[in-house]
Amino acid sequence: MARARRPGTYVCGIDAAMDVIGGKWKVLILWALHEKPCRFGELRRELPGVTEKVLAAHLRELEADGIVHREAYDEVPPRVEYSLTERGETLNEALGPLGDWGKENMLGGASANTLDGASAAAGQMREDDDVALIAGRP
């Protein structure tokens, strides 16, 4: 079931963007597709906890919004790959600073709890530490 869009009723650009990426899994789908095109099963494995129903619905909505491209190959067994469109790539780039903010402010970036000189090995994050945005990904 597709959500009804609210064109003309947005109060700002963030409101319009949130209408596109709203939903628990959409941003993580975008991030997973940033690496390479994925088949449905690959995406499902990349996003532990998402149900097939929700993943399929989010992919359909992202495709309808022009963010994700669905390529169906005429093969047996059928093969479908999802990739980001150019519009999806620009959206992913816009989400980069949000990920940086999350690393710094929610995952305990370099400025948090460093008075005692503890290291990242002791469970604290530093600014130059690489953090996977999706569990299980490098």
Side-chain angles (χ1 to χ4, degrees), residues 41 64 83 90 111 117 126:
S83 60
T90 61
S111 62
R126 292 191 327 247

Side-chain angles (χ1 to χ4, degrees), residues 28-89:
L28 297 176
I29 291 168
L30 291 174
W31 200 255
L33 291 175
H34 177 70
E35 297 292 320
K36 62 179 176 64
C38 292
R39 295 177 71 175
F40 185 88
E42 290 177 286
L43 280 172
R44 179 109 194 271
R45 286 187 294 276
E46 291 284 336
L47 306 170
V50 68
T51 65
E52 286 186 23
K53 179 180 177 181
V54 168
L55 180 57
H58 281 338
L59 285 167
R60 277 192 303 272
E61 290 173 10
L62 289 167
E63 183 183 6
D65 289 332
I67 304 299
V68 167
H69 173 71
R70 180 182 187 271
E71 181 73 32
Y73 295 91
D74 190 21
E75 298 177 355
V76 176
R79 178 170 61 116
V80 175
E81 282 187 346
Y82 295 92
S83 60
L84 292 178
T85 62
E86 190 173 317
R87 190 178 194 185
E89 292 283 349

Side-chain angles (χ1 to χ4, degrees), residues 113-120 122 124 126:
N113 301 320
T114 57
L115 294 177
D116 61 353
S119 69
Q124 293 180 339
R126 292 191 327 247

